[in-house]
Each structure stands twice: as C-alpha cells, then as structure tokens.
Amino acid sequence: MKNKKQNKNALNPTDPFCGFASLRWWLLAVAVVWVLNSILPDLMGPYYFQILILAGINVILAVSLNLVNGFTGQFSMGHAGFMSVGGYISAYITTQLIVSHPEIMNDAILGSAVFVGSLLLGGLGATCTGYLVGLPSLRLRGDYLAIVTLGFGEIIRVVFLNMDAVGGARGLSGIMQFSSFGWVFTLAIFTVFTVWRVVHSAQGRVLLSIREDEIAATAMGVNTTQGKVRAFAMGAFFAGVAGGLFAHYLTIMSPGTFDFNRSFEIIIMVVLGGMGSISGSVVAAVLLTSLKEALRPLQQLTGVDLRMVIYSLVLITMMLARPSGIFGTREIGDIYRDWRAGKAPKDAKKLKASTPSKGGAA
Amino acid sequence: MTPVKNEPVLSIKDVSVFYGIIQGLHNVSFDVQKGEIVTLVGANGAGKSTTLRAISGLVKPKTGQINFKGENIVGVPAHDIVRKGLCQAPEGRGIFLNLSVAENMDLGAWAAPDKGAYQANMDKGFQLFPRLKERRKQLAGTLSGGEQQMLAIARALMSQPEVLLLDEPSLGLAPQIIEKIFEIITDINKSGVTILLVEQNALQALQIAHYGIVFETGMIKTHGKASELLRSDEIRKAYLGD
C-alpha cells in the first residue's frame, strides 16, 4: 500500500507540472550553463570544479541507465562498457584529426565542432554496440540479462586492452581537454530532457508496460523485444556520449577505468535515487560523486582508508531507510506539488477509503 | 467439428501444444462462428487456458493450424496477432498496477487499427464501466478485484478486437460481481464482438454462451450448443456439480 501511494503521481500526462518539460525552460537552463561556464572555473578553483564536471558526467550516465533499469525494468550491468566504446571512439577521432590537421586547434569553433561531432559518433558507436548486444540478450530476463551485460562489459574492456590502435594497456593519451563545464552540462540537460520526454510519451508508456507485466504488454500488442532494444540502444547512446566527455576531460583513456566497478557505481546511483525517477538519478549522481570526494579529508586525517568503508555504510543505511530509493518512482515535480498543496496525506486517506468499498470481497 | 454454416471467424485445427515433453493439448479442433460467445469449460489443467494462449500466440503449437479470418496465425508473434483484431484479456487480469486506469486504457489502444477512434473507444469503455470513469486517474493497483477485471476487459476493447479472448474473468471474484461481469460480457457480444470465454465457472459460462466446448486432460471431451450441454445429465453431473 505504501509503495502504491508513493507511485500515485508517478506518470500522468495531464499533469500540469509537465510544463516543466516544455522546451523553453530547458533552453533557459542551457543559457544559464553557458553563462556559468565563463565564471565558474575561476570562482570554484580546480578541485571543486573537477568534482562538478564528474558529477555532470555521472548525471548523464545515471539518467540514461535509469531508462533501461528503472523505466523498462531490464537490469543492465554493462553501462561502463558502452561508456568506454563511446569514449574510445570519440577520443580516437579527435586525436587522429589533430595529428593530421593541427590547425583545428587554432580555431575555437572548428575545435568545438570536431569535439561535438566526435561525441556524436562515439554515441552512435555505443548505440550500435547496444543494439548488437541487446538484440539477442534482451530475450533473457532478470539475472540472466544482468550476467550477459556484465560479461559484455568485461569483453569490451579486454578488447580495448588488446587493441594497439588505441594504446592497449598503456591507454590512449594526448587527448585534448575539450570537455568544458558548458559542454558537460549542456549534454546533461539534453539527456535529462530527452529521457523525460521519452518517458512521458506513448513510447515511454510502452516501456513502463514492459516493466510492469511483459505478458500483459504483449497481449496489448506491444512488441516487447523491440521496446527493450530501443531503450537499451538509447541508454547506450548517452553512455557513449558521457564516455566521450569523460575522455576529453581526463585527457587519457585506459581500459582499467571502465571495469565492472564503474558499472556498479552507476547502478548504485540509479538504485539510490530511485528506479524510475529521473530527478532521483540526478540527485543521487551529484550526491555520490561529491560524497566520495567529501570523505577524502577524513582519510588524510586518520591515515586509514576509511573512505570506502563510510561510503558503503552510507549506502547501506540509505537502502535500509528507503528501499525504493530517495525518490521512489516520483519526480521532483510531484513532491513539490504535494508539498505546496499539502494534499499528500489527504490523497492517501481518499485512496484508503475508496479501495475496500464495493466489491470488497473481490 | 461444428456444422459449417458459413466461414467461421476463428478455426482451430488439430492443435497440439507441448510444455517441454509434457503434452498440454492433444489435437484440439473447433470453430468459432462470428458473433457468438463460445465458452471453453473444464477442470484445472484441462487445457482451456493453453488453447487460449496458443490462439493469442503466447505459446506456439507444435502441430496444427489456427485460422483467423481464413489466415493461419500459427507462428505470428503475439503482438502482431493483436493488430489483426484478436485480443486477449490475460489470466490473472494482467493489468499494470503502477499505472493509472487511463494509462492502462491508453496502452490497450497501442495496437488499435484506427487511432482516430481512440476517444470513441475510451468513451465506450467508460460507458460500459462507469466505475472506471470515476477512477480514471487512480492507480490500477488501488482498484478492487472486480474493478481490475473490468479494467482488463475495457483495456482489451480499446484495441477494437473482432474476437475477444477472456481468460477466467470470474477468477477470485464475489458472486455478485461475477454476475455483473457476465452481464457486461453479454452486452459486449451484442455490440458485435465475438467472444471466446475460458471459464471454470461452467454453469454461469454456459448460461450466457451460444456454444460450449468441454475440455478434459488436454482434449475436447464433448461440445455442443450451450443450452444442450446445460440439459445433458452427464455434463451436469461431471461439471456443473449437480
């Protein structure tokens, strides 16, 4: 009952707060990002700035994984794999282009265009990979899908480890640092916007129906395999873009960065934020990225590596306190509306009163 | 098996279904005439639901043919069968508990051939089940069992089926509610939808059906006009609890 009450306003297309999803506000947000882009680096200092950038990249990863794990209900554990595909492709493109045409670097606009183009190609590469992996494996369910995607992530890592063209175990270095605050957060906003719109569309309702009951969805004429593969490929696209941003921020790609720990980190963000809540993924991504860094002074202070111990303790505590994640399946808009109208408790009463009425025996 | 009056809308010929090595259906054949209510009755595990699942494409028969409007639909994916006009309200209702009533109905319209009729279908569904209209914004999981069954039927009707497959619509419902559901099934049939009804509640099913097929251990035991089956002593003794 408690769970159902939480879900009450999960998705309602007639919801006035869907105005939140109107393009105007998102464009405004992008404009704000670019204004901040010129101020923030000096204001924050390099250390905090780096955390902010990584948080932005993690937002992209968490939100895109939520589309697969949360909204479609398919447990994928290979997100780091897609991230590395996108990262390597886009990093390879820019490094090769700059070697052959060094003049690109003299023109800021041309440089940006090359960068964004490489991100797109990286994303598309990840999409193709996602499609290839998804088509056969999405016929599996639950644990089996998790194992297959986990295996895929490892395969990708080993492939890059043994690929001389991208540096093998040495990694790919000499990547230009194209990823600015502006680009990272523009793409993060783009990701949130796109996923939001998809989830609130008819196609999104199809994804939800797959999560809820696959057989019933099929009986409604939903092609469940197609729906799953689409969600999977779309999630992979954004993971690939995030990989590209990551590569062009750290300026070095090494296969070890993308092991299954990385995948788990993203899964933890999705689960902690709430499977099926975009706002939850955003909040959890920012929170966990900062938490890991915030605990660093503690390690210096005590001289013991307490960081991961406390990090895990925090996770365990939060999952015990809120098993459905910080937001459950609700969005920040639902919470805001309930808070403003103060009607959440009234609704709960109404539901309780109406449920057992007529046909209570049924 | 039924005397051929005219071309049946749905015709099942020698269908056998296996679950692993266990045979669930043995060469089942029957016809469904357009505009009728045909009911499959029988005990647990007699193969009624398996027959329905074979028709709707959820399980693939090993042998035999299922002809819908003259076209063999064996091997057609389940989600495409819905588009042909053959929709199932699955057993256990299969509604989406965490979505609202209206969203459930929307999903029912996913495979509708005529998207323009969406609003009309929605209105028709709410006319049949006024309670659903009252609760259109409520989560389906908060509905009572009877209301959930109504939603399952209303949702299936959103795809404008020619043939509606109903799997145990009375399952777990109070007698009063069952009566109401059966009344509505009759109404739906009168509006021109052919209905294939799987029921354990044989007495009530045969009362509203035109034709009855009695299943036993994966085979058709007997079949005939519903009214005749209801009069047959043998049937009354074995299935109707007299």
Side-chain angles (χ1 to χ4, degrees):
Chain A
M1 193 66 206
K2 190 180 158 207
N3 194 22
K4 276 166 196 164
K5 189 189 83 198
Q6 265 177 8
N7 288 338
K8 196 186 148 283
N9 293 311
L11 281 156
N12 188 352
T14 57
D15 186 337
F17 217 92
C18 267
F20 197 105
S22 80
L23 197 56
R24 223 170 4 144
W25 288 102
W26 297 95
L27 289 177
L28 187 73
V30 171
V32 171
V33 161
W34 283 100
V35 171
L36 288 175
N37 185 40
S38 50
I39 320 169
L40 269 184
D42 302 324
L43 211 66
M44 290 184 77
Y47 175 61
Y48 292 106
F49 190 65
Q50 178 181 350
I51 299 173
L52 193 65
I53 296 259
L54 292 179
I57 293 173
N58 282 337
V59 165
I60 301 180
L61 289 166
V63 170
S64 60
L65 186 67
N66 204 345
L67 184 69
V68 182
N69 284 25
F71 290 103
T72 321
Q74 308 301 311
F75 207 82
S76 160
M77 294 173 90
H79 225 48
F82 298 122
M83 188 186 173
S84 67
V85 171
Y88 268 109
I89 291 178
S90 76
Y92 186 75
I93 291 171
T94 53
T95 43
Q96 291 297 313
L97 268 178
I98 282 165
V99 167
S100 57
H101 304 280
E103 68 275 11
I104 290 171
M105 284 314 294
N106 301 330
D107 188 337
I109 295 174
L110 191 61
S112 301
V114 166
F115 169 55
V116 174
S118 77
L119 285 184
L120 268 179
L121 287 174
L124 288 177
T127 311
C128 295
T129 323
Y131 203 78
L132 285 177
V133 177
L135 215 50
S137 59
L138 283 168
R139 291 172 193 280
L140 306 170
R141 276 166 213 207
D143 308 347
Y144 303 104
L145 178 67
I147 291 164
V148 168
T149 47
L150 185 70
F152 152 76
E154 285 301 288
I155 290 170
I156 289 284
R157 190 178 63 84
V158 173
V159 165
F160 284 126
L161 195 64
N162 291 292
M163 217 184 220
D164 264 341
V166 292
R170 278 168 294 132
L172 186 61
S173 55
I175 309 169
M176 295 306 299
Q177 197 179 44
F178 279 121
S179 296
S180 61
F181 173 84
W183 282 120
V184 169
F185 279 82
T186 302
L187 288 166
I189 289 169
F190 176 67
T191 309
V192 174
F193 173 72
T194 314
V195 172
W196 187 292
R197 291 301 281 255
V198 165
V199 168
H200 287 81
S201 69
Q203 187 71 44
R205 224 173 292 126
V206 163
L207 301 184
L208 290 175
S209 77
I210 295 170
R211 175 186 77 186
E212 293 288 311
D213 187 336
E214 231 175 280
I215 291 178
T218 310
M220 291 302 101
V222 169
N223 185 343
T224 51
T225 309
Q226 188 191 56
K228 285 190 274 186
V229 170
R230 278 185 185 165
F232 204 66
M234 193 173 152
F237 173 81
F238 288 112
V241 170
L245 288 168
F246 190 72
H248 289 91
Y249 184 70
L250 289 188
T251 71
I252 178 156
M253 286 287 277
S254 66
T257 327
F258 303 101
D259 59 358
F260 62 87
N261 278 321
R262 188 92 189 102
S263 290
F264 278 127
E265 224 171 86
I266 309 165
I267 291 170
I268 288 169
M269 287 170 193
V270 172
V271 175
L272 187 76
M275 307 254 275
S277 165
I278 296 172
S279 351
S281 290
V282 174
V283 170
V286 174
L287 204 71
L288 289 185
T289 317
S290 351
L291 181 67
K292 255 169 96 179
E293 293 302 324
L295 290 171
R296 230 180 255 282
L298 191 77
Q299 186 185 352
Q300 286 161 354
L301 209 69
T302 55
V304 193
D305 193 1
L306 276 176
R307 194 161 65 105
M308 292 325 278
V309 177
I310 294 183
Y311 180 77
S312 334
L313 275 178
V314 169
L315 289 181
I316 293 169
T317 318
M318 294 198 77
M319 288 330 286
L320 281 176
R322 280 195 81 93
S324 56
I326 301 173
F327 281 75
T329 59
R330 311 181 74 200
E331 296 295 349
I332 201 138
D334 305 325
I335 290 163
Y336 171 76
R337 195 169 358 84
D338 284 356
W339 170 77
R340 229 180 94 172
K343 71 176 188 186
K346 235 192 283 169
D347 259 14
K349 259 186 230 155
K350 227 193 286 168
L351 280 184
K352 255 183 208 150
S354 61
T355 313
S357 63
K358 247 192 192 173
Chain B
M1 296 186 94
T2 34
V4 180
K5 289 175 240 164
N6 40 30
E7 188 71 11
V9 64
L10 185 66
S11 162
I12 283 88
K13 282 192 196 120
D14 291 322
V15 167
S16 296
V17 174
F18 285 79
Y19 292 113
I21 53 161
I22 295 163
Q23 190 164 7
L25 273 189
H26 302 263
N27 298 321
V28 166
S29 304
F30 63 90
D31 286 349
V32 176
Q33 300 295 336
K34 198 171 169 58
E36 287 195 336
I37 298 180
V38 175
T39 182
L40 312 182
V41 296
N44 265 338
K48 312 176 304 270
S49 292
T50 302
T51 310
L52 222 51
R53 290 166 68 85
I55 296 170
S56 61
L58 292 174
V59 293
K60 198 173 177 253
K62 192 156 187 183
T63 61
Q65 274 198 353
I66 297 170
N67 290 314
F68 178 59
K69 293 194 283 181
E71 179 195 353
N72 187 8
I73 55 168
V74 168
V76 177
H79 55 87
D80 285 334
I81 289 179
V82 184
R83 286 189 171 70
K84 293 182 189 295
L86 212 160
C87 188
Q88 177 176 9
E91 193 180 6
R93 300 168 198 139
I95 57 168
F96 306 112
L97 298 177
N98 286 320
L99 302 186
S100 73
V101 169
E103 283 169 338
N104 266 279
M105 306 267 288
D106 283 355
L107 273 161
W110 181 249
D114 177 12
K115 304 279 183 217
Y118 166 78
Q119 196 54 50
N121 287 332
M122 194 77 137
D123 292 342
K124 223 190 314 178
F126 285 146
Q127 203 187 338
L128 274 175
F129 304 103
R131 283 189 77 80
L132 293 181
K133 190 171 190 176
E134 287 165 32
R135 292 164 187 238
R136 57 188 301 168
K137 286 191 177 167
Q138 209 167 304
L139 279 190
T142 64
L143 300 179
S144 75
E147 288 162 350
Q148 290 187 4
Q149 185 59 58
M150 292 176 190
L151 177 56
I153 295 173
R155 190 184 58 179
L157 287 174
M158 288 297 285
S159 72
Q160 301 166 290
E162 274 176 64
V163 177
L164 179 63
L165 311 177
L166 295 172
D167 200 347
E168 305 256 9
S170 75
L171 197 72
L173 298 182
Q176 272 175 310
I177 314 271
I178 296 179
E179 216 156 279
K180 183 122 190 260
I181 299 255
F182 275 51
E183 250 169 55
I184 290 166
I185 292 173
T186 316
D187 286 348
I188 295 169
N189 174 248
K190 280 184 186 141
S191 75
V193 181
T194 310
I195 290 173
L196 186 56
L197 171 68
V198 161
E199 259 302 335
Q200 282 207 55
N201 195 333
L203 182 62
Q204 250 164 328
L206 286 171
Q207 275 166 353
I208 64 161
H210 301 96
Y211 203 81
I213 296 162
V214 181
F215 274 72
E216 198 177 271
T217 56
M219 280 175 278
I220 293 181
K221 165 114 172 156
T222 177
H223 60 95
K225 282 205 171 111
S227 51
E228 283 166 14
L229 287 178
L230 275 172
R231 276 199 299 270
S232 146
D233 280 343
E234 192 195 352
I235 299 293
R236 290 194 79 92
K237 219 169 252 165
Y239 299 101
L240 306 179
D242 273 9

